Amino acid sequence: MARKKTTKPTKRKTARRTNKKSNSGFISKATLFKLLFTFVVLLGLLTLLLDVQIRSQFEGKRWAVPAKVFARPLELYAGAPLSIQDLKIELRGLGYQFVSKASRPGQAAFSASRAIIATRGFAFTDGQEPARKLVIDFNQHAVTSLSEANGNDLALVRLEPVLIGGIYPLNNEDRDLIQLDDAPQTLIDALIAIEDRDFYQHYGISPKGIARAMVANIKAGGFVQGGSTLTQQLIKNFYLTSDRSLIRKLLEIPMAVLLELHYSKDDILEAYLNEVYLGQDGARAIHGFGLGANYFFAQPIHELKLHQVALMAGMVKGPSYFDPRRHPQRATKRRNLVLKVLFEQGEITQEQYQQASTAPLDVVEKGTLLKEAYPAYLDLVKRQLRRHYRDDDLNSEGLRIFTSLDPITQNQAETALKSTFANLEKTYGKRVEKLQGSMVVTDPQTGEVLAVIGDRNTRYKGFNRALDSLRPIGSLVKPAVYLTALENGYTLSTPLDDSPYVLDLPNGQTWEPQNFDKQSHSEVTLIEALAKSYNISTARLGMEVGLDNVIDTLVRLGIKRRFDAYPSLLLGAQGLSPLEVATMYQTIAANGFQMPPRAIRTVTDSQGTALSSYPFQLKQTVDSDDIFLLQTAMQDVTHQGTARSIYQSLPASVNVAGKTGTSDEQRDSWFAGFSGNRLAVVWLGEDDNSPLPFTGSGGALKVWKQFMASQSLQSFHATTPDNIEWVWVDDDNGKLSAEYCENARQLPFVSGTAPELTADCFAKPGEDKDPISRSIDWLKDWFE
């Protein structure tokens, strides 16, 4: 009985277990079905989401395209003040190749007095400048004739403007967008051959390519080849990240298929050409073959040769690893592999393969082009642009900004600054090892800014001293003091007191200005006081006409900064930037018309449609009579005053005007001056305000002289206003004199303000000749 009781329960338990297994299997299938259904739904939603993302981004604005900033276009015409060396500076900045025979656009050939240029052409806002072959003849300083290669004379030709920089988005990606038709066919062939030979056969992914890569990797014992298609690479770069994760790789596949479903192979290939990453230039990321062609070869993409496009196609695999500047041997090996594959696939001939594989890399040094070469000037452009454009517009809409920067003038300004620094270091050694400098050059006839230097390292992208360094301007302020006096009844011959001067200040202290030579000069004329930059007579004069009036004059000359009405203002204790000084002297050079310095001419959209222009602006703020008198006095500074050494460098036939400036304790060296077509302001000093071993004439003036000597200068000659009369005066005391008298000089006066007191030698009214000449004339008249 006991056994029977034992066996029955055992069977029932077994049955229960069997039923449980059966129920468990039924639940697993149901759960699996639900999970599968959920997965399919989620996959469908994910696919739909990916599809929306792909289409919206691919059909919308694909890239944040930086604004491109251009220099002024160089105008060529018979009589243009341009030398062959100047033209070479411009063409190097444009990436032209100097060859023995110019046959293709972007090439130039030179002889001693002739240049033959195959231009590229350019779409300006006012019309298309066609590509053509030019023949330009020169004498030493100018173009003598301009014609096409067929002999047709040309009146005017504009070269394409030099690209000098961009305004980049936050990710610092830079690219020059191209269309598929812009790319050489050899580049497309090379890309497909080395990266995705089944591109035109697959639908986004290539099983054959994956298998081929696996075999190659197994044979090599490591990762040597990838199986990603060009479409997958575009998905990774355009939509995803470069992280090597499983999730990213899994997303690549459906997204690549979806992209191929919606868009043609040509659309995908064009996007790839513009998206691909090719290297790093500091913080700037180089994207796309359009920019790559300029960055590595200083040429537009359509001018590249077979060995150059093969190099860029090979770099796609590893832009840093195959960087031709840092790793030329690796780059050469990779390039030749691309050429070999092209030859094996029948895309190029054996002769082409041999020539290209033995060619040099032809990669230019960084900085060969002028892009990013002028950070100080670009800084000014950006500041002026932001008055009218948002940052988002500037770094994403592909705007084109045409400026007044003159690369030739900028180059000559930089040369003058560097050369002077080298000479000062030879003279003063370690005393000037921390010396800094800045410079602003404008056209006084238009107010256009032609060049800006913000650091002794002219390509330094940091602190911009030309715009932001506020340094005491010393005697550069004196023209404002003397103009105030001329507006208040003083004349160029008015005697000024240059005897020792002590001024009691409200705080109980005293102010006792000193002349630079520590000497006083008793009585001097106003024009002499300015020409020789006497401090004592200037201080007395400024206090007589009133500090508030001098400040008002500075404002009318274009300075918008707030001034403190302290007596030291009269001798330049106020700090200004070189650009502000240029603004002030621009008004003086422009006959009393304010012409705010402007760096921008026109802004267009990416298609070349003009959006805004920055026209010539004029506003007269100083009377023409008074400014004419001041200009006369400032010409005296350069002819017989503190800047008379100018004519050791410039021909006597070129009339210039200007003013030296040295701040207290010789901490700043300044010169500001102008001819008829150039105005330049130079500052030298040390950032820690250490005293300098030279003055304004010993430092800044030397830079100015060398720069101006390199220019094709127009002599400065202001038109004499109707209300001005010229009168002979004694140069020592400013009294009425005559042409035949010793120390006599002719000065301009506003009608009715000429001196009434006479010198020991003078001419009575109507007498303009000496007594001997008058006697001879009397005898001639008698005999007649």
Side-chain angles (χ1 to χ4, degrees):
M1 293 293 294
R3 288 176 189 167
K4 289 179 183 178
K5 288 179 181 178
T6 303
T7 52
K8 288 179 182 178
T10 302
K11 290 179 180 178
R12 283 195 296 271
K13 288 178 182 178
T14 302
R16 282 193 212 101
R17 282 196 295 270
T18 304
N19 289 338
K20 282 180 181 178
K21 283 181 181 180
S22 177
N23 290 340
S24 174
F26 177 77
I27 292 169
S28 295
K29 289 178 181 179
T31 302
L32 184 61
F33 177 77
K34 291 177 182 178
L35 289 173
L36 184 61
F37 179 78
T38 303
F39 176 76
V40 170
V41 172
L42 290 176
L43 184 61
L45 290 173
L46 177 62
T47 303
L48 181 62
L49 182 64
L50 291 175
D51 188 63
V52 171
Q53 179 186 353
I54 286 170
R55 285 188 295 170
S56 64
Q57 192 165 341
F58 204 81
E59 293 172 3
K61 187 176 71 175
R62 298 180 188 175
W63 297 281
V65 181
K68 302 298 182 184
V69 184
F70 295 90
R72 59 91 191 96
L74 179 63
E75 295 185 341
L76 301 173
Y77 54 91
L82 184 76
S83 68
I84 282 187
Q85 293 305 317
D86 293 340
L87 180 60
K88 287 181 177 179
I89 292 172
E90 187 86 12
L91 294 180
R92 287 192 188 100
L94 288 166
Y96 274 62
Q97 295 177 297
F98 293 175
V99 295
S100 58
K101 184 177 181 180
S103 58
R104 300 171 52 191
Q107 293 183 335
F110 292 91
S111 64
S113 60
R114 170 172 286 189
I116 300 175
I117 308 172
T119 68
R120 296 173 178 143
F122 193 80
F124 291 99
T125 55
D126 58 354
Q128 177 74 35
E129 186 74 41
R132 48 189 162 190
K133 197 169 184 179
L134 303 177
V135 179
I136 312 168
D137 289 312
F138 294 83
N139 59 23
Q140 189 173 0
H141 301 294
V143 175
T144 57
S145 68
L146 174 67
S147 63
E148 291 186 285
N150 61 13
N152 291 334
D153 289 336
L154 296 169
L156 175 69
V157 172
R158 289 179 294 182
L159 294 183
E160 66 269 33
V162 174
L163 178 63
I164 62 171
I167 302 174
Y168 306 114
L170 294 177
N171 58 14
N172 275 326
E173 289 185 4
D174 191 12
R175 53 175 50 81
D176 292 335
L177 294 183
I178 61 171
Q179 295 180 337
L180 188 60
D181 292 342
D182 298 328
Q185 185 59 45
T186 49
L187 173 61
I188 297 170
D189 293 341
L191 267 178
I192 293 174
I194 201 68
E195 291 291 327
D196 186 3
R197 68 180 64 175
D198 300 321
F199 177 70
Y200 285 107
Q201 285 76 47
H202 64 64
Y203 294 96
I205 58 173
S206 175
K208 288 169 60 178
I210 294 171
R212 214 171 21 242
M214 289 178 62
V215 172
N217 293 336
I218 291 170
K219 286 182 178 180
F223 185 85
V224 296
Q225 186 174 328
S228 295
T229 64
L230 289 179
T231 312
Q232 286 176 275
Q233 292 179 38
L234 177 60
I235 289 292
K236 179 187 71 174
N237 295 329
F238 195 64
Y239 296 99
L240 304 174
T241 67
S242 58
D243 296 337
R244 294 191 173 186
S245 64
L246 180 61
I247 293 176
R248 194 267 292 167
K249 200 69 180 174
L250 290 175
L251 282 174
E252 256 183 36
I253 295 172
M255 292 180 77
V257 173
L258 287 170
L259 192 66
E260 293 265 2
L261 284 174
H262 288 298
Y263 305 102
S264 70
K265 291 289 187 180
D266 284 354
D267 288 337
I268 293 169
L269 190 56
E270 183 174 282
Y272 184 89
L273 293 175
N274 287 305
E275 175 59 30
V276 66
Y277 172 71
L278 290 175
Q280 201 73 26
D281 180 24
R284 182 172 66 121
I286 307 299
H287 282 263
F289 290 102
L291 181 59
N294 279 285
Y295 180 64
F296 290 110
F297 306 111
Q299 291 175 259
I301 192 168
H302 60 269
E303 294 180 11
L304 297 188
K305 298 174 182 176
L306 174 59
H307 67 284
Q308 295 170 316
V309 299
L311 174 61
M312 285 205 297
M315 289 177 60
V316 170
K317 181 181 178 182
S320 179
Y321 188 80
F322 296 113
D323 186 328
R325 293 190 178 103
R326 292 189 297 154
H327 309 294
Q329 292 182 335
R330 291 180 194 168
T332 302
K333 186 176 179 181
R334 177 67 176 170
R335 179 200 69 180
N336 290 348
L337 174 62
V338 174
L339 292 168
K340 182 180 179 182
V341 172
L342 282 172
F343 171 62
E344 291 173 347
Q345 294 184 9
E347 300 293 349
I348 59 175
T349 65
Q350 184 172 7
E351 183 182 1
Q352 287 176 310
Y353 168 60
Q354 290 176 342
Q355 287 180 350
S357 59
T358 56
L361 290 176
D362 276 345
V363 174
V364 299
E365 293 182 15
K366 278 190 177 182
T368 299
L369 289 179
L370 300 181
K371 189 171 185 181
E372 308 304 314
Y374 308 131
Y377 196 97
L378 279 176
D379 197 3
L380 175 61
V381 170
K382 292 173 185 177
R383 295 185 194 195
Q384 293 188 355
L385 279 173
R386 288 186 175 117
R387 299 172 190 169
H388 306 101
Y389 292 91
R390 301 175 305 163
D391 285 348
D392 287 347
D393 297 328
L394 295 173
N395 59 33
S396 67
E397 297 297 332
L399 301 181
R400 301 200 303 171
I401 296 106
F402 295 92
T403 73
S404 54
L405 174 81
D406 186 328
I408 297 171
T409 300
Q410 176 83 30
N411 178 277
Q412 291 161 339
E414 292 177 358
T415 299
L417 186 71
K418 292 174 182 177
S419 175
T420 304
F421 267 63
N423 291 333
L424 291 173
E425 286 169 356
K426 288 179 182 178
T427 303
Y428 299 106
K430 291 185 177 181
R431 297 172 67 188
V432 294
E433 61 183 1
K434 296 186 294 181
L435 187 66
Q436 270 293 347
S438 59
M439 190 170 178
V440 175
V441 182
T442 71
D443 182 339
Q445 298 174 2
T446 64
E448 289 190 321
V449 181
L450 306 179
V452 179
I453 300 173
D455 189 277
R456 67 178 296 170
N457 174 6
T458 57
R459 298 195 176 186
Y460 177 64
K461 296 182 180 180
F463 182 59
N464 188 344
R465 292 168 185 81
L467 275 58
D468 297 322
S469 181
L470 304 181
R471 303 292 298 229
I473 62 173
S475 295
L476 294 191
V477 77
K478 288 178 180 175
V481 178
Y482 286 82
L483 176 58
T484 307
L486 293 169
E487 291 177 324
N488 285 273
Y490 288 74
T491 71
L492 294 180
S493 67
T494 299
L496 300 181
D497 185 358
D498 195 60
S499 63
Y501 178 52
V502 178
L503 178 66
D504 294 323
L505 301 176
N507 61 4
Q509 296 180 335
T510 59
W511 183 53
E512 190 173 356
Q514 298 288 323
N515 288 327
F516 179 76
D517 60 3
K518 307 301 181 184
Q519 302 292 320
S520 58
H521 307 91
S522 61
E523 192 174 88
V524 294
T525 60
L526 184 145
I527 191 171
E528 181 185 1
L530 178 58
K532 297 183 178 178
S533 201
Y534 292 150
N535 290 335
I536 299 175
S537 50
T538 301
R540 286 182 179 276
L541 179 65
M543 294 306 296
E544 288 173 7
V545 298
L547 286 169
D548 289 339
N549 289 331
V550 173
I551 290 172
D552 175 69
T553 300
L554 286 165
V555 171
R556 287 185 290 114
L557 288 174
I559 306 299
K560 297 180 180 179
R561 187 173 300 277
R562 179 182 175 275
F563 292 94
D564 295 319
Y566 298 133
S568 58
L569 167 70
L570 301 171
L571 300 182
Q574 175 73 41
L576 295 178
S577 71
L579 182 64
E580 288 176 306
V581 173
T583 303
M584 171 182 168
Y585 278 72
Q586 179 77 43
T587 307
I588 297 171
N591 302 323
F593 287 87
Q594 271 193 31
M595 282 192 294
R598 58 192 180 103
I600 306 167
R601 290 181 174 180
T602 309
V603 178
T604 75
D605 63 16
S606 59
Q607 305 303 313
T609 303
L611 299 176
S612 57
S613 59
Y614 294 73
F616 184 68
Q617 295 180 352
L618 280 176
K619 177 185 176 184
Q620 185 164 15
T621 55
V622 182
D623 183 80
S624 58
D625 293 343
D626 299 318
I627 206 73
F628 182 82
L629 300 179
L630 178 65
Q631 290 169 340
T632 302
M634 291 177 66
Q635 291 169 63
D636 228 40
V637 174
T638 62
H639 285 278
Q640 54 189 16
T642 55
R644 59 187 177 277
S645 66
I646 280 175
Y647 288 99
Q648 297 172 1
S649 303
L650 299 185
S653 59
V654 177
N655 198 39
V656 296
K659 187 70 190 74
T660 52
T662 308
S663 67
D664 190 35
E665 297 187 26
Q666 229 166 270
R667 300 178 191 275
D668 302 270
S669 172
W670 289 91
F671 189 78
F674 50 89
S675 68
N677 62 333
R678 288 290 182 272
L679 183 151
V681 175
V682 182
W683 169 84
L684 302 183
E686 296 189 2
D687 290 336
D688 62 2
N689 287 313
S690 297
L692 302 175
F694 50 79
T695 62
S697 59
L701 177 59
K702 292 185 175 182
V703 180
W704 191 93
K705 286 192 298 184
Q706 183 174 337
F707 165 71
M708 295 295 265
S710 71
Q711 302 295 288
S712 296
L713 297 181
Q714 296 173 12
S715 190
F716 174 75
H717 292 292
T719 302
T720 305
D722 293 336
N723 202 33
I724 292 292
E725 59 179 353
W726 291 83
V727 176
W728 289 95
V729 299
D730 188 297
D731 198 23
D732 290 335
N733 54 38
K735 297 178 181 179
L736 277 178
S737 184
E739 181 180 4
Y740 53 81
C741 295
E742 186 179 0
N743 291 329
R745 69 176 301 182
Q746 205 172 23
L747 289 179
F749 293 86
V750 177
S751 295
T753 66
E756 296 179 353
L757 296 177
T758 58
D760 292 337
C761 175
F762 74 98
K764 294 180 181 179
E767 293 183 354
D768 56 354
K769 296 184 179 181
D770 62 88
I772 295 176
S773 298
R774 292 200 305 274
S775 298
I776 292 173
D777 289 344
W778 180 84
L779 288 171
K780 286 181 179 179
D781 291 340
W782 189 83
F783 280 109
E784 289 176 357

